[in-house]
Amino acid sequence: MHAPSIWGILVVAVVVILLFGRGKISGMMGEVASGIKAFQKGMKDDDKPAERIQSSAEVEAREVDRSKDA
């Protein structure tokens, strides 16, 4: 199997642009970029010391207790 030539790559690129349009492709690239940024942020957060994460049930229970006191 041989490597694709530059002409083959250009033909595929033109077909993709014609099928999806420039706006759709740029939108998908933006979504990919935001996904990568979110992944990198998640990896940085894993490096920080673990803080206690409250479950939604704990938060709701505390809010109910506060409403009973009022």
Side-chain angles (χ1 to χ4, degrees), residues 7-56:
W7 294 111
I9 294 171
L10 286 175
V11 168
V12 170
V14 168
V15 169
V16 167
I17 289 172
L18 289 174
L19 287 176
F20 295 109
R22 288 180 53 204
K24 181 81 169 177
I25 293 173
S26 64
M28 288 189 304
M29 287 298 154
E31 291 174 6
V32 169
S34 65
I36 291 171
K37 288 178 185 177
F39 176 76
Q40 289 174 342
K41 183 181 180 222
M43 293 301 290
K44 286 180 185 176
D45 289 345
D46 285 345
D47 293 339
K48 295 179 182 178
E51 298 177 7
R52 186 171 186 275
I53 300 174
Q54 296 178 349
S55 70
S56 59

